[in-house]
């Protein structure tokens, strides 16, 4: 694989980052995952916008213009011959020459890393035909989940808790309501209405979420942006998640309780179809 690190395209084993990098020592960095379908980037503009916002909220210098970022994305897709998959981008506050809680001097260059992940069959995923199982876990993450930071230890542990329980993923619950999945936004469906938590500091503002809600409205579905409980989700007609790496993925079981018929429902299936169709 050819990767990008701080201005250079290199074979992955030659790419290096300092041991003093703020991303490594303090999880002081942000990331984006942009999917590729048919060699084409999905929603680059949305990801670039959210990235700029994450950087600005953390006062990390934006290292380059969006056009330059787009160029690197395209170059990596071409060099690695990516048809279906993802591009991972990470920008950290850079590498000063020691560990310090105080931010490094202004002139410290942010670290920029990008690499591709080839996922043949991403659009035609068998999981989407069967649906996935989720468990609920308490949401104990920090209070600025709208910033896409690389502090992913708890989501990673959540995924392992799901695995241990024989499930695929975890939905996180705070004050009795679902916030989101470990790496995706959460939805339920009641009749013709799609319900998903409203945007706030409590959840990541998914780029896939924005696209899917737009397609849902265009298809005359009703959209309600509000919080919901695990009990309401278990009794809903359908449930699903969205993210750049899963698109629209049906959820068929929550904490051991079957959702609807226990199989992917028509709304999730239709939204997945529309999303993939529109992204090709
Ligand atoms: N995760 N919520 C969380 C906590 C996420 O980590 C993600 C994305 C989403 C969905 O956002 P989007 O639709 O823009 O991908 C929601 C990425 C895919 C990841 O961590 O790999």
């Amino acid at each position: 694989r050819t990767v990008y690190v701080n201005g250079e395209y290199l074979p992955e084993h030659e790419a290096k980052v300092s041991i003093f990098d703020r991303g490594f020592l303090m999880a002081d960095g942000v990331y984006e995952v942009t999917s590729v379908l048919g060699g084409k980037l999905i929603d680059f503009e949305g990801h670039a916008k959210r990235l700029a916002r994450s950087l600005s909220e953390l006062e990390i210098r934006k290292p380059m213009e969006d056009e330059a970022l787009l160029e690197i994305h395209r170059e990596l897709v071409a060099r690695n011959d990516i048809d279906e998959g993802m591009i991972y981008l990470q920008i950290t506050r850079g590498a000063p020459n020691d560990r310090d809680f105080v931010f490094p001097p202004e002139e410290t260059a942010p670290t920029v890393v990008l690499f591709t992940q080839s996922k043949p069959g991403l659009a035609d995923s068998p999981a989407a035909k069967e649906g996935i199982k989720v468990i609920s876990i308490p949401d104990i993450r920090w209070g600025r989940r709208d910033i896409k930071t690389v502090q992913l230890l708890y989501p990673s542990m959540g995924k392992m808790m799901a695995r241990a329980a024989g499930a695929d993923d975890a939905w996180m619950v705070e004050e009795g309501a679902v916030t989101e999945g470990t790496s995706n936004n959460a939805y339920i469906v009641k009749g013709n209405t799609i319900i998903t938590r409203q945007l706030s500091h409590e959840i990541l503002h998914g780029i896939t979420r924005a696209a899917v809600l737009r397609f849902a409205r265009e298809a005359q579905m009703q959209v309600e942006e509000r919080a919901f409980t695990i009990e309401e989700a278990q009794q809903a007609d359908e449930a699903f998640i969205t993210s750049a790496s899963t698109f629209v993925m049906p959820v068929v079981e929550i904490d051991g309780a079957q959702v609807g018929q226990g199989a992917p429902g028509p709304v999730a299936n239709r939204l997945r179809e529309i999303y993939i169709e529109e992204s090709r």
Side-chain angles (χ1 to χ4, degrees):
R1 207 164 25 172
T2 296
V3 305
Y4 175 95
V5 56
N6 295 328
E8 286 187 288
Y9 292 95
L10 295 169
E12 62 183 58
H13 63 272
E14 284 177 28
K16 300 227 167 10
V17 174
S18 163
I19 62 159
F20 295 119
D21 195 275
R22 296 273 305 186
F24 178 60
L25 293 180
M26 299 193 164
D28 185 359
V30 300
Y31 76 108
E32 282 295 330
V33 176
T34 304
S35 33
V36 179
L37 206 49
K40 212 180 104 203
L41 295 160
I42 300 181
D43 261 332
F44 173 81
E45 209 177 293
H47 288 281
K49 249 197 192 147
R50 184 173 64 190
L51 173 68
R53 181 172 176 279
S54 293
L55 291 170
S56 129
E57 290 295 304
L58 298 179
E59 296 175 42
I60 297 176
R61 179 163 28 107
K62 194 178 171 213
M64 64 185 86
E65 295 303 320
D66 291 352
E67 296 79 75
L69 264 186
L70 176 58
E71 189 47 44
I72 300 169
H73 278 72
R74 288 200 169 133
E75 188 67 30
L76 285 177
V77 167
R79 288 191 191 216
N80 295 294
D81 200 15
I82 304 297
D83 180 48
E84 288 187 23
M86 278 100 71
I87 302 194
Y88 177 84
L89 153 81
Q90 179 168 329
I91 298 177
T92 77
R93 202 180 301 278
N97 48 24
D98 204 349
R99 178 175 183 266
D100 192 344
F101 281 82
V102 173
F103 288 176
E106 284 288 321
E107 61 275 14
T108 308
T111 300
V112 183
V113 167
L114 288 93
F115 56 80
T116 54
Q117 295 181 297
S118 180
K119 303 268 177 196
L122 186 63
D124 200 23
S125 146
K129 291 180 185 82
E130 290 191 6
I132 63 162
K133 298 174 183 175
V134 303
I135 59 165
S136 63
I137 60 173
D139 195 338
I140 60 167
R141 297 174 299 162
W142 79 325
R144 288 303 306 274
R145 303 154 193 163
D146 57 311
I147 306 173
K148 202 166 171 56
T149 74
V150 296
Q151 305 174 99
L152 296 177
L153 180 54
Y154 187 65
S156 172
M157 290 171 74
K159 199 89 170 172
M160 295 310 290
M161 291 183 240
R163 280 272 176 94
D168 305 287
D169 201 5
W171 278 9
M172 294 178 280
V173 174
E174 184 170 62
E175 290 172 4
V178 174
T179 51
E180 58 188 334
T182 58
S183 57
N184 44 70
N185 291 115
Y187 306 72
I188 57 173
V189 180
K190 289 174 143 187
N192 190 37
T193 305
I194 294 158
I195 301 159
T196 193
R197 196 180 174 104
Q198 69 281 2
L199 298 180
S200 69
H201 286 176
E202 275 72 56
I203 62 168
L204 186 75
H205 302 187
I207 304 305
T208 320
R209 177 189 183 279
V212 164
L213 292 187
R214 189 173 72 246
F215 297 143
R217 288 182 172 113
E218 283 169 10
Q220 316 303 326
M221 298 173 188
Q222 303 299 310
V223 174
E224 251 179 60
E225 296 184 64
R226 64 162 174 88
F228 56 84
T229 64
I230 288 290
E231 293 67 36
E232 188 180 10
Q234 288 172 322
Q235 285 152 25
D237 297 318
E238 296 182 37
F240 63 92
I241 57 166
T242 67
S243 76
S245 50
T246 59
F247 304 152
V248 176
M249 182 64 68
V251 170
V252 296
E253 199 182 290
I254 303 172
D255 281 340
Q258 178 178 305
V259 180
Q261 304 305 310
V267 172
N269 282 342
R270 174 129 187 261
L271 285 172
R272 181 176 176 88
E273 216 167 274
I274 297 174
Y275 181 79
I276 290 171
E277 188 64 33
E278 295 283 335
S279 306
R280 275 202 197 278

